[in-house]
Amino acid sequence: MVAAHLADSLPHAPSFDGGVTEFTHESFDDLFPIFCERRSMPLGEKAALWTGKYYGKWVRWTGVVRSFTQSGLTIKQRPQAVTFDISLWVEADQLAQLPALVKRGGRVTYLARLDSYDDIFQKLYLTHGSILAVADPPAPKH
């Protein structure tokens, strides 16, 4: 015999796939050594942790714009990164405005959804991105 408890469901804000919108409060610095360093843990454990705890969760982070892409921006989070740490896919309604909104080398605060990671090239890929705040790029040093 199987028993079930039925209760009124509580409304949740929808995410882009119709599910619950959930945030993770971990910073980029918390996630980088786990998912972007090749031998941080066995690959199966890493994939299970990503899928079970982080995939689809939303983050609010601040980083430096490295470049524009066809679908958004690349962002540098670590000072020692040679290229970029984050590939940020931006929502279509903001994509066309990006060149006027942000500048290469400028700091941006963004909201986005964790999608995937690459521990060989040390990148995190985020989707459904939206730029929340823009700071002027630093003045060039003489």
Side-chain angles (χ1 to χ4, degrees):
M1 175 180 233
V2 176
H5 173 70
L6 299 177
D8 293 335
S9 62
L10 299 173
H12 297 283
S15 68
F16 285 89
D17 62 2
V20 176
T21 301
E22 294 182 59
F23 282 83
T24 182
H25 296 289
E26 276 86 0
S27 68
F28 174 83
D29 292 335
D30 294 332
L31 298 184
F32 182 85
I34 299 169
F35 296 106
C36 296
E37 291 181 4
R38 183 80 172 136
R39 303 202 193 294
S40 64
M41 67 178 63
L43 295 178
E45 289 178 31
K46 187 183 290 192
L49 179 62
W50 179 264
T51 302
K53 189 170 180 185
Y54 297 105
Y55 173 76
K57 299 285 183 359
W58 292 81
V59 295
R60 179 182 172 159
W61 291 339
T62 300
V64 176
V65 174
R66 290 290 291 171
S67 67
F68 295 89
T69 67
Q70 187 174 11
S71 56
L73 300 168
T74 61
I75 298 186
K76 182 176 175 177
Q77 295 288 143
R78 300 172 302 131
Q80 67 271 31
V82 176
T83 57
F84 64 93
D85 297 302
I86 300 284
S87 175
L88 178 66
W89 288 31
V90 176
E91 286 300 312
D93 61 339
Q94 200 176 54
L95 187 59
Q97 301 170 353
L98 280 181
L101 184 65
V102 301
K103 298 189 179 0
R104 190 170 186 259
R107 292 183 60 77
V108 293
T109 299
Y110 56 93
L111 179 70
R113 189 174 180 197
L114 295 169
D115 185 69
S116 60
Y117 63 91
D118 184 333
D119 61 1
I120 294 173
F121 293 106
Q122 298 185 316
K123 311 290 183 224
L124 288 178
Y125 298 92
L126 283 64
T127 59
H128 302 297
S130 182
I131 304 301
L132 301 177
V134 178
D136 293 328
K141 294 180 182 179
H142 292 24

